[in-house]
């Protein structure tokens, strides 16, 4: 991803899962009160390169809202139960859910 302020290329290892052909990432920041830096970078520059298990592609990130955000967050807690606990320690920060769709 590209830094929101610096414009420099950044690399951040993240846990993910897939849903309907999209790569889903939870911006939990381990339950901290601030969003993680990568989230701000993706909001400013949504075009990213994702790599996993020998595959690399160009994707566009979009924050999920409303019912879709809630559905994906609930699904994420099935893979990573800590997310539910993280939401309780954010001091009111709603943990974002970002869906990445591959650019064809």
């Amino acid at each position: 991803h590209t830094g929101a302020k610096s414009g420099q290329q950044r690399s951040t290892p993240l846990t993910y899962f897939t849903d309907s052909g999209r790569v889903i990432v939870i911006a939990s920041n381990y339950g901290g009160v601030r969003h993680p830096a990568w989230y701000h970078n993706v909001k400013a520059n949504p075009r990213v390169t994702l790599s996993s298990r020998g595959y690399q592609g160009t994707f566009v990130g979009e924050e999920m809202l409303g019912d879709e955000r809630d559905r994906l967050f609930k699904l994420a807690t099935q893979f990573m139960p800590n997310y539910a606990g993280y939401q309780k320690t954010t001091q009111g920060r709603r943990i974002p859910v970002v869906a990445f769709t591959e650019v064809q």
Side-chain angles (χ1 to χ4, degrees):
H1 50 95
T2 303
K5 294 179 183 176
S6 70
Q8 294 180 352
Q9 291 302 115
R10 305 284 185 197
S11 180
T12 305
L14 297 169
T15 300
Y16 71 94
F17 65 98
T18 59
D19 179 79
S20 300
R22 303 172 298 174
V23 175
I24 310 300
V25 181
I26 309 300
S28 69
N29 205 19
Y30 302 101
V33 298
R34 296 176 189 225
H35 297 320
W38 70 260
Y39 166 82
H40 296 290
N41 293 342
V42 170
K43 290 292 283 186
N45 301 293
R47 192 178 182 97
V48 302
T49 299
L50 300 182
S51 302
S52 179
R53 300 180 182 172
Y55 179 81
Q56 181 171 303
T58 301
F59 292 74
V60 174
E62 176 185 5
E63 183 173 355
M64 298 290 98
L65 303 171
D67 291 343
E68 181 66 353
R69 181 261 176 216
D70 295 344
R71 181 185 75 80
L72 291 168
F73 190 82
K74 184 176 180 180
L75 189 58
T77 64
Q78 294 174 12
F79 298 109
M80 184 80 160
N82 289 350
Y83 288 140
Y86 290 163
Q87 186 59 72
K88 295 175 184 175
T89 64
T90 63
Q91 298 180 9
R93 174 178 74 90
R94 188 163 175 87
I95 295 175
V97 175
V98 181
F100 293 91
T101 304
E102 190 166 19
V103 176
Q104 300 298 323

